[in-house]
């Protein structure tokens, strides 16, 4: 059964060097290459049942 993700609005395409953090466990993702997509708010990074935020 899928878990409902809180605050699942999405983000603009991430850029090289940006970091995203999980508010629940503190895990971080570091972006190593720009996302070249033009669509806004289509990227989702999830952890601990919620969307990760830019650190």
């Amino acid at each position: 059964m899928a878990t409902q993700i809180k605050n699942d609005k999405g983000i603009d395409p991430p850029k090289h060097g940006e970091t995203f953090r999980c508010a629940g466990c503190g895990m971080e993702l570091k972006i190593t290459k720009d996302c070249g997509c033009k669509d806004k708010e289509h990227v989702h990074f999830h952890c601990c049942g919620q969307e990760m935020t830019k650190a």
Side-chain angles (χ1 to χ4, degrees):
M1 186 167 117
T3 302
Q4 180 73 23
I5 302 295
K6 300 173 191 168
N7 231 3
D8 194 27
K9 63 183 176 181
I11 60 170
D12 287 342
K15 302 290 182 199
H16 176 268
E18 291 180 334
T19 303
F20 295 84
R21 180 178 299 127
C22 173
C25 70
M27 181 190 69
E28 292 184 347
L29 296 175
K30 178 114 180 176
I31 306 304
T32 59
K33 185 174 184 205
D34 288 358
C35 174
C37 297
K38 304 296 181 206
D39 295 338
K40 301 284 185 186
E41 298 180 348
H42 76 288
V43 176
H44 299 268
F45 298 130
H46 298 150
C47 188
C48 294
Q50 60 190 331
E51 184 134 31
M52 298 173 74
T53 57
K54 193 186 280 190

